[in-house]
């Protein structure tokens, strides 16, 4: 799915549309197994969201120790000079102390790789999935994320032809790639 901003990765919500409203009841349960998202995206985050009814695959892809990479496109509030970009990149690769937010206490992040596109746009790749992790990384660096979109999960890239708010089934080759990663790690 190319998740749209404003939707939550929950089966029920009082205030927002849920990503599950895009599926029919028959699609939500297949052969007795429930369809669920592989990890979550924040309500205001767009982009690549995977769904499966394969619990083992989902568990493998979301465990931090398996170091499955997730890449996000980020737009920042403040411009970042070339010197600051180098500092941001170096600090994020070493891991940062993330500021507390809502239900998450202050905590250490694993390293993340930043690739700069402009003075306020970059791509960041990480292997964890802590609560609001990308936003908290940039807050720890003294900036603010104003737009966030996941563009890659494991070896899968967001389908550029998939409109925001739409979904499609994975191809056989895409499924094989995900399952081969899982099989290598199990």
């Amino acid at each position: 799915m190319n998740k749209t901003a404003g939707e939550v990765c929950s089966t029920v919500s009082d205030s927002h549309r849920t990503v599950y409203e895009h599926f029919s009841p028959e699609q939500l349960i297949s052969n007795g197994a429930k369809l669920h998202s592989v990890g979550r995206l924040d309500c205001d985050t767009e982009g690549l969201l995977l769904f499966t009814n394969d619990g083992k695959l989902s568990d493998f892809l979301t465990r931090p120790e398996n170091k499955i990479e997730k890449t996000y496109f980020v737009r920042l509030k403040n411009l970042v000079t070339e010197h600051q970009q180098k500092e941001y990149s170096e600090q994020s690769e070493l891991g940062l102390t993330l500021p507390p937010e809502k239900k998450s206490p202050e905590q250490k992040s694993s390293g993340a790789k930043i690739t700069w596109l402009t003075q306020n746009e970059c791509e960041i790749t990480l292997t964890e999935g802590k609560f609001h992790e990308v936003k908290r990384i940039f807050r720890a660096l003294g900036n603010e994320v104003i737009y966030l979109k996941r563009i890659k999960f494991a070896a899968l890239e967001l389908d550029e032809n998939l409109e925001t708010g739409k979904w499609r089934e994975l191809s056989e080759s895409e499924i094989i790639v995900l399952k081969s990663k899982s099989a290598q790690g199990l």
Side-chain angles (χ1 to χ4, degrees):
M1 172 179 283
N2 185 358
K3 181 190 169 295
T4 188
E7 294 182 343
V8 294
C9 295
S10 175
T11 55
V12 178
S13 175
D14 292 336
S15 56
H16 297 282
R17 180 181 167 115
T18 78
V19 294
Y20 294 96
E21 292 178 41
H22 293 279
F23 301 97
S24 71
E26 297 77 29
Q27 291 167 323
L28 291 173
I29 298 179
S30 177
N31 298 325
K34 284 186 176 182
L35 189 70
H36 63 276
S37 65
V38 179
R40 294 174 174 239
L41 290 176
D42 301 337
C43 181
D44 59 349
T45 301
E46 298 179 359
L48 181 59
L49 184 62
L50 297 176
F51 290 87
T52 186
N53 61 5
D54 183 335
K56 287 183 182 180
L57 178 62
S58 179
D59 183 59
F60 175 81
L61 292 172
T62 55
R63 286 185 174 268
E65 61 267 23
N66 294 329
K67 300 193 182 312
I68 302 298
E69 292 186 342
K70 294 162 276 295
T71 302
Y72 298 81
F73 170 81
V74 179
R75 185 170 298 125
L76 298 169
K77 182 177 183 178
N78 303 314
L79 296 178
V80 183
T81 67
E82 197 172 310
H83 176 72
Q84 289 172 316
Q85 288 177 10
K86 185 177 179 194
E87 287 179 352
Y88 276 33
S89 297
E90 289 172 354
Q91 290 177 38
S92 69
E93 282 192 42
L94 295 172
L96 294 158
T97 300
L98 303 176
E101 184 171 326
K102 295 183 184 175
K103 61 185 177 183
S104 291
E106 179 178 280
Q107 58 193 152
K108 182 83 170 161
S109 71
S110 292
K113 182 179 187 244
I114 298 175
T115 304
W116 290 96
L117 306 171
T118 68
Q119 284 192 305
N120 72 326
E121 294 179 339
C122 64
E123 291 179 1
I124 185 169
T125 301
L126 43 90
T127 59
E128 293 179 303
K130 288 181 166 60
F131 182 75
H132 289 187
E133 186 171 8
V134 173
K135 295 173 186 174
R136 291 166 70 200
I137 285 171
F138 285 101
R139 197 160 352 116
L141 292 167
N143 213 322
E144 181 183 344
V145 173
I146 58 171
Y147 178 78
L148 186 60
K149 182 176 188 173
R150 182 158 57 196
I151 57 173
K152 192 171 180 182
F153 192 115
L156 301 180
E157 292 188 35
L158 181 60
D159 183 340
E160 292 180 7
N161 296 317
L162 191 60
E163 293 177 36
T164 303
K166 302 294 182 185
W167 64 274
R168 69 167 176 81
E169 291 189 23
L170 293 178
S171 68
E172 284 300 317
S173 61
E174 290 169 327
I175 293 169
I176 288 168
V177 166
L178 285 179
K179 289 192 173 186
S180 69
K181 283 210 172 283
S182 175
Q184 291 168 10
L186 297 177

